[in-house]
Amino acid sequence: MRGKSLLGLILLLALAVAVTAADANTNCSTDNDCGVNFECRVGKCSHKGMFPLRYTDILATILFILISSMTNIAGIGGGAIYSPLVIMILDYEVTKAIYIAYVVTFGGVLSNFFINVRMRQSESRLPYINYTIAALSLPLLLSGTVVGTILNKVAPDLVILVTLVVLLVVVMKKSVVKAKQLYKQEQQNKEIETESQATNVRNDNASSKSKPVSEEEVGGLAVEGAREGLPEVRRIEEIQVVGKENENLALRAEGEATKDKALYAQIDAQEKKILPMNRVAAVVIFTCIILLLNLIKGSSKFKSILGVQICSPVYFICDTISFFLSIALFFTMKHIIRRFAAQKTAVGYSSPFKFQLTDSKVNQLAIVGFIAGVLVGFAGIGGGLVMSPLLLEIGLPPEFASKTSGFTVIFTSFLSVMIAFLSGGLEGLAIAWFLPIVGFGVYLFAGILNHLIFKYNRKSYILFALTFVVIIAIIIIPLYTCLLYTSDAADDLLCVDLGGRRIIKKK
């Protein structure tokens, strides 16, 4: 009921502000003639700058912190939700609203990373972020986005919208089923633990009520045992000597099997390393190269730094390079994983992580990453909204899937923010406000939620958070699309962008 109440409150607040908003370019004589987000300039209502802050800015920031905390627990960026809220509450035009959504997303996932990077599984001591899976899935996620974007340009708008809604409904359904199953298992484990504690208490009480043995009886038994058990003691000593010899032989055999204890320790340290710089560096370098290629080719929202025309040969060459570079990085990581697995087999290392990256699992990750990318490019939603559920489908536990998916969103949202800023479409003051404030708020609020989830061993709440976010997206995206389509907000536009992609073309 709390989730439904919060969802209803968010929608009511957003719609209330949207209804009271004034259109830009309305005639005015003072600021009072314009809406709360506008100022009167030369007789026309124009959108105000980031500062001074109005109550709508504060309201939007609070909503962003709350929603971002929920989305990041589920391993989702949430950009597809922020864009409509920015337009409805802050009255920004579509492109600027998308750019602000990029900043909010990046601030949330970045602060969430600083929470997750310090977290380890209590038993295995493994970090919850699986950097190997992230390095495998991110390249194909971006290569699939190239294909999805091309499909987006040729597909009818209604097909794109329907695909988006159907995709969100499927994700919601699967998340609900998995959340209920995991919650039921947690309840059973809790009952077993409670019964075990009660049994231990009863046993302790029974032991305390038993008759204690007197010191005289203990002394008599000891003397009698010493008198009658001397041959038995010698026999035990001989068995212990033989046991130690067998133990030494076993240790020598183990040493011969491992061959190199230093390599064994190195592999164990690599498995449990809190931040493996080789994998992180590979992803960072790859992201920077993709950013450079995007700046070279340009897009419909910003000009190329080299003056490349959209849909020109150079434009498609840059897309082709991005695609094959992604494939190359994937196969490089696959080769590294195979070599690492061979080393673990040679020294007899058994990983404490139940989810093993076998060849079949790596191939599944390739399919998952590429499909997620295609859906991201085609339907115009964030990668985390698709990536997190798909990682659950291939068997990754919820706590690992959400945090690994959230790590990949850092790089996709960073690309979006940098492209928006370098293109001149993103106001520096908006970055100066939303990035640190949302980031700090998410760090506090999501940190508390994470602490409670792991303290009370309620991993199912991660899936419930995912379901909650998807429900918001299912409601707000089609609702806002219909409102925008029936309004005059896009009369002068050829199309309306929502979540970074074309959804409705104005005729």
Side-chain angles (χ1 to χ4, degrees):
M1 292 299 295
R2 292 180 180 178
K4 292 181 179 178
S5 300
L6 180 59
L7 174 61
L9 177 62
I10 291 172
L11 293 177
L12 284 174
L13 288 173
L15 289 175
V17 175
V19 168
T20 59
D23 293 334
N25 299 320
T26 303
N27 293 328
C28 62
S29 56
T30 65
D31 289 347
N32 294 330
D33 298 329
C34 305
V36 66
N37 296 312
F38 295 88
E39 297 174 341
C40 186
R41 298 175 185 171
V42 197
K44 295 287 184 181
C45 289
S46 302
H47 201 285
K48 75 177 188 67
M50 188 68 241
F51 296 99
L53 296 175
R54 306 282 175 84
Y55 78 87
T56 50
D57 298 307
I58 304 300
L59 170 63
T61 303
I62 293 173
L63 290 179
F64 292 155
I65 291 173
L66 295 177
I67 296 174
S68 185
S69 299
M70 296 293 291
T71 58
N72 279 285
I73 286 177
I76 297 171
I81 300 175
Y82 304 138
S83 298
L85 288 177
V86 171
I87 299 173
M88 287 190 289
I89 298 176
L90 301 180
D91 291 309
Y92 279 104
E93 56 96 6
V94 178
T95 302
K96 286 188 177 180
I98 294 170
Y99 289 164
I100 291 177
Y102 291 159
V103 176
V104 174
T105 301
F106 183 61
V109 296
L110 188 61
S111 63
N112 192 53
F113 168 73
F114 289 115
I115 297 172
N116 296 334
V117 73
R118 298 178 287 104
M119 298 180 66
R120 292 176 182 265
Q121 196 179 33
S122 57
E123 298 177 359
S124 66
R125 302 304 298 163
L126 289 172
Y128 280 110
I129 301 175
N130 193 308
Y131 297 95
T132 303
I133 292 178
L136 278 170
S137 57
L138 182 63
L140 290 176
L141 175 68
L142 294 178
S143 63
T145 303
V146 174
V147 177
T149 303
I150 295 173
L151 295 175
N152 174 274
K153 292 178 180 178
V154 299
D157 300 311
L158 182 60
V159 172
I160 297 173
L161 181 59
V162 171
T163 301
L164 175 60
V165 174
V166 170
L167 175 63
L168 293 174
V169 170
V170 171
V171 169
M172 181 194 67
K173 183 179 179 181
K174 288 183 176 293
S175 300
V176 169
V177 172
K178 287 183 177 293
K180 287 182 177 180
Q181 291 175 348
L182 185 57
Y183 183 80
K184 185 177 180 181
Q185 181 181 346
E186 289 170 349
Q187 286 293 98
Q188 292 174 349
N189 293 339
K190 189 174 181 180
E191 291 174 1
I192 293 173
E193 183 180 354
T194 303
E195 181 63 27
S196 176
Q197 291 175 351
T199 302
N200 291 336
V201 170
R202 287 195 297 267
N203 291 338
D204 292 340
N205 293 335
S207 299
S208 62
K209 292 180 181 179
S210 60
K211 182 181 178 181
V213 181
S214 65
E215 295 182 1
E216 291 78 5
E217 292 175 338
V218 172
L221 291 172
V223 172
E224 185 177 353
R227 204 181 283 126
E228 297 179 358
L230 288 176
E232 185 66 24
V233 170
R234 294 194 187 96
R235 195 176 301 112
I236 292 173
E237 290 176 350
E238 292 174 358
I239 293 174
Q240 289 176 345
V241 170
V242 174
K244 288 182 179 179
E245 292 177 353
N246 291 336
E247 184 179 351
N248 292 333
L249 290 173
L251 289 173
R252 285 196 295 271
E254 182 181 353
E256 293 175 359
T258 57
K259 295 181 180 179
D260 191 346
K261 292 184 179 180
L263 180 59
Y264 187 95
Q266 183 181 356
I267 291 174
D268 186 63
Q270 179 67 25
E271 282 279 288
K272 298 177 181 179
K273 201 169 185 179
I274 198 70
L275 191 64
M277 294 307 300
N278 53 350
R279 287 163 173 74
V280 175
V283 175
V284 170
I285 294 172
F286 169 76
T287 304
C288 291
I289 295 174
I290 297 298
L291 173 62
L292 178 62
L293 290 171
N294 274 277
L295 293 176
I296 291 174
K297 75 184 185 69
S299 73
S300 59
K301 294 184 177 63
F302 66 93
K303 294 181 179 180
S304 163
I305 59 176
L306 298 181
V308 175
Q309 298 297 319
I310 297 177
C311 297
S312 65
V314 177
Y315 180 90
F316 288 111
I317 287 174
C318 290
D319 276 341
T320 304
I321 293 175
S322 299
F323 180 82
F324 283 105
L325 184 63
S326 302
I327 301 299
L329 178 59
F330 169 78
F331 280 105
T332 300
M333 290 302 304
K334 185 176 181 179
H335 173 72
I336 293 174
I337 290 171
R338 281 180 174 175
R339 188 176 61 182
F340 192 55
Q343 289 177 343
K344 289 193 289 186
T345 302
V347 300
Y349 182 84
S350 177
S351 176
F353 192 32
K354 295 180 181 180
F355 183 89
Q356 296 299 314
L357 277 175
T358 60
D359 278 349
S360 61
K361 289 292 184 182
V362 170
N363 293 332
Q364 288 180 20
L365 273 173
I367 297 172
V368 163
F370 189 76
I371 291 176
V374 172
L375 292 173
V376 167
F378 180 73
I381 57 177
L385 192 57
V386 181
M387 200 68 197
S388 186
L390 288 179
L391 288 178
L392 291 170
E393 281 297 307
I394 65 174
L396 204 62
E399 61 272 28
F400 287 91
S402 62
K403 299 184 186 312
T404 301
S405 173
F407 178 70
T408 62
V409 177
I410 293 176
F411 299 95
T412 56
S413 60
F414 170 77
L415 283 172
S416 301
V417 171
M418 288 302 297
I419 291 172
F421 178 71
L422 294 175
S423 66
L426 186 57
E427 185 183 356
L429 291 177
I431 299 177
W433 170 256
F434 287 113
L435 187 62
I437 298 300
V438 173
F440 182 72
V442 170
Y443 186 83
L444 291 179
F445 193 59
I448 294 172
L449 293 178
N450 263 300
H451 174 73
L452 295 176
I453 287 172
F454 285 91
K455 179 181 179 180
Y456 296 103
N457 196 24
R458 288 295 187 180
K459 312 295 174 51
S460 59
Y461 288 175
I462 297 174
L463 296 178
F464 283 122
L466 173 61
T467 304
F468 177 76
V469 172
V470 173
I471 290 174
I472 293 178
I474 290 174
I475 295 174
I476 201 169
I477 292 176
L479 173 64
Y480 175 72
T481 302
C482 294
L483 290 174
L484 191 58
Y485 181 72
T486 56
S487 72
D488 297 328
D491 282 345
D492 298 328
L493 300 177
L494 293 177
C495 62
V496 173
D497 288 336
L498 188 61
R501 295 285 181 261
R502 178 170 52 87
I503 297 295
I504 292 181
K505 180 178 289 185
K506 296 291 288 184
K507 301 297 184 183

mmCIF file of all heavy atoms in Angstrom, residues 257-277:
data_model
loop_
_atom_site.group_PDB
_atom_site.id
_atom_site.type_symbol
_atom_site.label_atom_id
_atom_site.label_comp_id
_atom_site.label_asym_id
_atom_site.label_seq_id
_atom_site.Cartn_x
_atom_site.Cartn_y
_atom_site.Cartn_z
ATOM 1 N N ALA A 257 49.786 -30.722 -6.539
ATOM 2 C CA ALA A 257 48.642 -30.492 -7.437
ATOM 3 C C ALA A 257 48.518 -29.010 -7.780
ATOM 4 O O ALA A 257 48.252 -28.626 -8.915
ATOM 5 C CB ALA A 257 47.355 -30.992 -6.792
ATOM 6 N N THR A 258 48.693 -28.137 -6.778
ATOM 7 C CA THR A 258 48.577 -26.703 -7.038
ATOM 8 C C THR A 258 49.790 -26.125 -7.765
ATOM 9 O O THR A 258 49.668 -25.128 -8.466
ATOM 10 C CB THR A 258 48.401 -25.950 -5.708
ATOM 11 O OG1 THR A 258 49.505 -26.259 -4.858
ATOM 12 C CG2 THR A 258 47.105 -26.360 -5.023
ATOM 13 N N LYS A 259 50.954 -26.799 -7.589
ATOM 14 C CA LYS A 259 52.208 -26.442 -8.271
ATOM 15 C C LYS A 259 52.731 -25.076 -7.861
ATOM 16 O O LYS A 259 53.894 -24.894 -7.629
ATOM 17 C CB LYS A 259 52.030 -26.500 -9.795
ATOM 18 C CG LYS A 259 51.743 -27.898 -10.321
ATOM 19 C CD LYS A 259 51.608 -27.878 -11.840
ATOM 20 C CE LYS A 259 51.312 -29.267 -12.362
ATOM 21 N NZ LYS A 259 51.152 -29.279 -13.842
ATOM 22 N N ASP A 260 51.867 -24.108 -7.819
ATOM 23 C CA ASP A 260 52.332 -22.765 -7.536
ATOM 24 C C ASP A 260 51.353 -22.083 -6.588
ATOM 25 O O ASP A 260 50.303 -21.594 -7.003
ATOM 26 C CB ASP A 260 52.464 -21.975 -8.843
ATOM 27 C CG ASP A 260 53.206 -20.665 -8.639
ATOM 28 O OD1 ASP A 260 53.388 -20.245 -7.491
ATOM 29 O OD2 ASP A 260 53.595 -20.066 -9.660
ATOM 30 N N LYS A 261 51.699 -22.077 -5.308
ATOM 31 C CA LYS A 261 50.801 -21.472 -4.328
ATOM 32 C C LYS A 261 50.664 -19.972 -4.532
ATOM 33 O O LYS A 261 49.629 -19.389 -4.221
ATOM 34 C CB LYS A 261 51.300 -21.777 -2.915
ATOM 35 C CG LYS A 261 51.188 -23.237 -2.530
ATOM 36 C CD LYS A 261 51.618 -23.448 -1.081
ATOM 37 C CE LYS A 261 51.469 -24.916 -0.690
ATOM 38 N NZ LYS A 261 51.870 -25.162 0.718
ATOM 39 N N ALA A 262 51.705 -19.378 -5.043
ATOM 40 C CA ALA A 262 51.645 -17.939 -5.299
ATOM 41 C C ALA A 262 50.592 -17.621 -6.355
ATOM 42 O O ALA A 262 49.842 -16.649 -6.234
ATOM 43 C CB ALA A 262 53.008 -17.420 -5.743
ATOM 44 N N LEU A 263 50.536 -18.450 -7.396
ATOM 45 C CA LEU A 263 49.527 -18.253 -8.436
ATOM 46 C C LEU A 263 48.128 -18.478 -7.880
ATOM 47 O O LEU A 263 47.188 -17.754 -8.220
ATOM 48 C CB LEU A 263 49.791 -19.186 -9.614
ATOM 49 C CG LEU A 263 48.815 -19.104 -10.797
ATOM 50 C CD1 LEU A 263 48.797 -17.700 -11.376
ATOM 51 C CD2 LEU A 263 49.172 -20.121 -11.879
ATOM 52 N N TYR A 264 47.992 -19.484 -7.016
ATOM 53 C CA TYR A 264 46.696 -19.761 -6.382
ATOM 54 C C TYR A 264 46.222 -18.547 -5.577
ATOM 55 O O TYR A 264 45.069 -18.123 -5.667
ATOM 56 C CB TYR A 264 46.828 -20.981 -5.476
ATOM 57 C CG TYR A 264 45.525 -21.467 -4.883
ATOM 58 C CD1 TYR A 264 44.806 -22.491 -5.488
ATOM 59 C CD2 TYR A 264 45.011 -20.908 -3.709
ATOM 60 C CE1 TYR A 264 43.608 -22.945 -4.949
ATOM 61 C CE2 TYR A 264 43.824 -21.339 -3.166
ATOM 62 C CZ TYR A 264 43.129 -22.366 -3.792
ATOM 63 O OH TYR A 264 41.946 -22.800 -3.255
ATOM 64 N N ALA A 265 47.151 -17.983 -4.777
ATOM 65 C CA ALA A 265 46.796 -16.810 -3.966
ATOM 66 C C ALA A 265 46.475 -15.614 -4.855
ATOM 67 O O ALA A 265 45.584 -14.819 -4.550
ATOM 68 C CB ALA A 265 47.947 -16.483 -3.026
ATOM 69 N N GLN A 266 47.198 -15.493 -5.974
ATOM 70 C CA GLN A 266 46.953 -14.386 -6.896
ATOM 71 C C GLN A 266 45.568 -14.496 -7.524
ATOM 72 O O GLN A 266 44.858 -13.493 -7.662
ATOM 73 C CB GLN A 266 48.030 -14.389 -7.980
ATOM 74 C CG GLN A 266 47.913 -13.237 -8.965
ATOM 75 C CD GLN A 266 48.989 -13.289 -10.036
ATOM 76 O OE1 GLN A 266 49.872 -14.147 -10.013
ATOM 77 N NE2 GLN A 266 48.903 -12.379 -10.994
ATOM 78 N N ILE A 267 45.190 -15.710 -7.896
ATOM 79 C CA ILE A 267 43.861 -15.924 -8.479
ATOM 80 C C ILE A 267 42.774 -15.621 -7.459
ATOM 81 O O ILE A 267 41.763 -14.973 -7.771
ATOM 82 C CB ILE A 267 43.739 -17.372 -8.996
ATOM 83 C CG1 ILE A 267 44.643 -17.584 -10.213
ATOM 84 C CG2 ILE A 267 42.290 -17.697 -9.354
ATOM 85 C CD1 ILE A 267 44.696 -19.007 -10.688
ATOM 86 N N ASP A 268 42.975 -16.067 -6.227
ATOM 87 C CA ASP A 268 41.986 -15.817 -5.178
ATOM 88 C C ASP A 268 41.846 -14.317 -4.906
ATOM 89 O O ASP A 268 40.727 -13.810 -4.731
ATOM 90 C CB ASP A 268 42.402 -16.541 -3.898
ATOM 91 C CG ASP A 268 41.348 -16.439 -2.813
ATOM 92 O OD1 ASP A 268 40.232 -16.957 -3.021
ATOM 93 O OD2 ASP A 268 41.633 -15.834 -1.770
ATOM 94 N N ALA A 269 42.992 -13.611 -4.910
ATOM 95 C CA ALA A 269 42.942 -12.160 -4.697
ATOM 96 C C ALA A 269 42.245 -11.460 -5.851
ATOM 97 O O ALA A 269 41.503 -10.492 -5.652
ATOM 98 C CB ALA A 269 44.365 -11.627 -4.530
ATOM 99 N N GLN A 270 42.470 -11.946 -7.084
ATOM 100 C CA GLN A 270 41.822 -11.349 -8.255
ATOM 101 C C GLN A 270 40.310 -11.556 -8.215
ATOM 102 O O GLN A 270 39.536 -10.656 -8.552
ATOM 103 C CB GLN A 270 42.401 -11.967 -9.532
ATOM 104 C CG GLN A 270 41.805 -11.454 -10.835
ATOM 105 C CD GLN A 270 42.146 -9.995 -11.087
ATOM 106 O OE1 GLN A 270 43.154 -9.496 -10.591
ATOM 107 N NE2 GLN A 270 41.327 -9.315 -11.855
ATOM 108 N N GLU A 271 39.894 -12.735 -7.770
ATOM 109 C CA GLU A 271 38.465 -13.033 -7.683
ATOM 110 C C GLU A 271 37.772 -12.127 -6.666
ATOM 111 O O GLU A 271 36.633 -11.718 -6.877
ATOM 112 C CB GLU A 271 38.267 -14.500 -7.276
ATOM 113 C CG GLU A 271 38.468 -15.504 -8.405
ATOM 114 C CD GLU A 271 37.242 -15.613 -9.277
ATOM 115 O OE1 GLU A 271 36.230 -16.177 -8.834
ATOM 116 O OE2 GLU A 271 37.295 -15.117 -10.413
ATOM 117 N N LYS A 272 38.477 -11.837 -5.573
ATOM 118 C CA LYS A 272 37.853 -11.086 -4.479
ATOM 119 C C LYS A 272 38.262 -9.618 -4.457
ATOM 120 O O LYS A 272 37.954 -8.911 -3.489
ATOM 121 C CB LYS A 272 38.211 -11.748 -3.152
ATOM 122 C CG LYS A 272 37.698 -13.181 -3.038
ATOM 123 C CD LYS A 272 38.120 -13.832 -1.746
ATOM 124 C CE LYS A 272 37.626 -15.271 -1.670
ATOM 125 N NZ LYS A 272 38.052 -15.951 -0.432
ATOM 126 N N LYS A 273 38.939 -9.174 -5.497
ATOM 127 C CA LYS A 273 39.406 -7.793 -5.534
ATOM 128 C C LYS A 273 38.225 -6.835 -5.593
ATOM 129 O O LYS A 273 37.301 -7.022 -6.381
ATOM 130 C CB LYS A 273 40.310 -7.585 -6.746
ATOM 131 C CG LYS A 273 41.230 -6.381 -6.634
ATOM 132 C CD LYS A 273 42.273 -6.395 -7.728
ATOM 133 C CE LYS A 273 43.276 -5.261 -7.553
ATOM 134 N NZ LYS A 273 44.318 -5.284 -8.600
ATOM 135 N N ILE A 274 38.286 -5.805 -4.772
ATOM 136 C CA ILE A 274 37.155 -4.895 -4.664
ATOM 137 C C ILE A 274 36.997 -4.037 -5.907
ATOM 138 O O ILE A 274 35.896 -3.637 -6.272
ATOM 139 C CB ILE A 274 37.306 -4.002 -3.405
ATOM 140 C CG1 ILE A 274 35.967 -3.376 -3.011
ATOM 141 C CG2 ILE A 274 38.375 -2.961 -3.585
ATOM 142 C CD1 ILE A 274 34.970 -4.328 -2.477
ATOM 143 N N LEU A 275 38.105 -3.734 -6.613
ATOM 144 C CA LEU A 275 38.042 -2.922 -7.821
ATOM 145 C C LEU A 275 39.160 -3.367 -8.780
ATOM 146 O O LEU A 275 40.262 -2.813 -8.749
ATOM 147 C CB LEU A 275 38.205 -1.437 -7.474
ATOM 148 C CG LEU A 275 37.904 -0.435 -8.590
ATOM 149 C CD1 LEU A 275 36.431 -0.501 -8.987
ATOM 150 C CD2 LEU A 275 38.267 0.977 -8.159
ATOM 151 N N PRO A 276 38.888 -4.389 -9.616
ATOM 152 C CA PRO A 276 39.902 -4.867 -10.568
ATOM 153 C C PRO A 276 40.174 -3.826 -11.651
ATOM 154 O O PRO A 276 39.371 -3.641 -12.572
ATOM 155 C CB PRO A 276 39.275 -6.135 -11.146
ATOM 156 C CG PRO A 276 37.812 -5.959 -10.967
ATOM 157 C CD PRO A 276 37.633 -5.132 -9.736
ATOM 158 N N MET A 277 41.316 -3.156 -11.552
ATOM 159 C CA MET A 277 41.590 -2.012 -12.408
ATOM 160 C C MET A 277 41.738 -2.397 -13.877
ATOM 161 O O MET A 277 41.463 -1.577 -14.758
ATOM 162 C CB MET A 277 42.864 -1.299 -11.926
ATOM 163 C CG MET A 277 42.717 -0.650 -10.560
ATOM 164 S SD MET A 277 41.273 0.462 -10.458
ATOM 165 C CE MET A 277 41.675 1.652 -11.727
#
